[in-house]
Amino acid sequence: MADFFIVIASDPATNGVSAFLVDREQEGVHVRKIEGLLSCAASQLADIELDDVEVGVEKLIGKEGMGFTGIANFALDQGRFNVAWMGVGLAQEALEVMVTYARKRSQSGQKIFNFQLIKGIIGDAVTNVHAARSLCREAARMRAENHPDAIVQTTMAKYFSSVAANKVAADAVQVLGANGCCDLYPVERLFREAKILEIIEGSSQIQQQIIAMHGANRYYQPKRITEV
């Protein structure tokens, strides 16, 4: 649907990465909508093929060589903050459906909420939702204050929230049983939508690497261990 695209391109001569505006109608630009998506069906995703597309210097965004650090990283940080909150909302929706179903559904003469194993699943889900929301709120506070660790806090929020959303959505399907596997109940869609959160704006594995590097610098205490 876009009229133009932001393209991040590398220069073989300098190994620099720059960002450019490319018009959709420009010669050599081919757009093909992606069908059959697992989730995010309304996101209008497409394959963009560039066939000998030439752009002038007036299409350069920012400074030459700043395409990744100045443009892509900024967009990723904003996107991760959004995805973190998406995870919270999705997980809470799954939790609400799970709890409501468990309190209404009867099996063996009692509501299934009364079964200890069901309570255990719900207890974990409540904890995950609250923890994810707390991480997101802390990220929001640090971003508003321009804290130097705001980016890594956002990364942690995105990582935890997306993993939590997957866990809570999967558990909601489990609690609903066979009903959770059909589209008569919303958890079937929530289960599919949750997975994409661990992929977009940097996969969970990439988030782990970023968080680990932060931890290696933040929590390294060489004087505590004198011999290895």
Side-chain angles (χ1 to χ4, degrees), residues 155-198:
T155 298
M156 288 189 283
K158 191 271 182 187
Y159 169 64
F160 185 89
S161 177
S162 59
V163 172
N166 272 269
K167 179 68 166 63
V168 176
D171 284 344
V173 173
Q174 192 73 12
V175 170
L176 269 66
N179 284 331
C181 300
C182 68
D183 59 9
L184 295 177
Y185 292 84
V187 293
E188 176 269 342
R189 180 184 176 187
L190 295 174
F191 179 74
R192 291 186 289 104
E193 298 287 350
K195 187 57 196 174
I196 200 69
L197 302 185
E198 285 200 274

Side-chain angles (χ1 to χ4, degrees):
M1 296 176 67
D3 294 322
F4 62 86
F5 307 107
I6 297 176
V7 177
I8 310 296
S10 61
D11 183 351
T14 64
N15 290 325
V17 177
S18 301
F20 300 88
L21 283 178
V22 176
D23 293 328
R24 179 194 188 97
E25 302 301 327
Q26 189 168 344
E27 183 178 358
V29 178
H30 306 287
V31 181
R32 181 181 62 83
K33 183 178 180 181
I34 299 174
E35 304 286 356
L37 293 170
L38 173 71
S39 64
C40 295
S43 61
Q44 298 297 324
L45 293 178
D47 279 326
I48 312 298
E49 180 182 346
L50 306 177
D51 184 11
D52 290 332
V53 176
E54 296 184 6
V55 295
V57 67
E58 72 278 2
K59 297 295 185 178
L60 179 67
I61 303 176
K63 296 181 179 180
E64 184 176 351
M66 296 294 291
F68 189 80
T69 56
I71 306 297
N73 271 350
F74 176 79
L76 283 171
D77 178 56
Q78 295 293 324
R80 286 168 182 167
F81 185 63
N82 292 337
V83 172
W85 280 108
M86 287 169 62
V88 173
L90 193 153
Q92 179 162 329
E93 172 70 7
L95 174 61
E96 291 173 354
V97 175
M98 182 196 314
V99 169
T100 303
Y101 185 88
R103 293 192 61 180
K104 289 186 175 182
R105 172 72 171 177
S106 295
Q107 187 70 36
S108 301
Q110 60 179 315
K111 303 299 183 183
I112 65 171
F113 177 80
N114 294 323
F115 297 133
Q116 287 185 340
L117 293 177
I118 298 297
K119 285 183 178 179
I121 292 173
I122 291 175
D124 285 348
V126 171
T127 302
N128 277 321
V129 170
H130 280 248
R133 180 177 288 108
S134 294
L135 282 169
C136 288
R137 284 176 171 168
E138 181 64 7
R141 181 190 67 79
M142 294 174 72
R143 294 168 72 87
E145 296 175 357
N146 291 318
H147 193 284
D149 288 339
I151 290 179
V152 74
Q153 179 67 28
T154 299
T155 298
M156 288 189 283
K158 191 271 182 187
Y159 169 64
F160 185 89
S161 177
S162 59
V163 172
N166 272 269
K167 179 68 166 63
V168 176
D171 284 344
V173 173
Q174 192 73 12
V175 170
L176 269 66
N179 284 331
C181 300
C182 68
D183 59 9
L184 295 177
Y185 292 84
V187 293
E188 176 269 342
R189 180 184 176 187
L190 295 174
F191 179 74
R192 291 186 289 104
E193 298 287 350
K195 187 57 196 174
I196 200 69
L197 302 185
E198 285 200 274
I199 299 173
I200 60 175
E201 306 299 347
S203 67
S204 291
Q205 289 71 32
I206 293 297
Q207 310 310 303
Q208 287 176 319
Q209 300 299 308
I210 296 171
I211 296 166
M213 291 304 299
H214 171 73
N217 295 324
R218 176 76 177 271
Y219 299 107
Y220 181 50
Q221 301 291 333
K223 294 182 179 180
R224 287 195 173 186
I225 300 177
T226 56
E227 294 182 4
V228 177

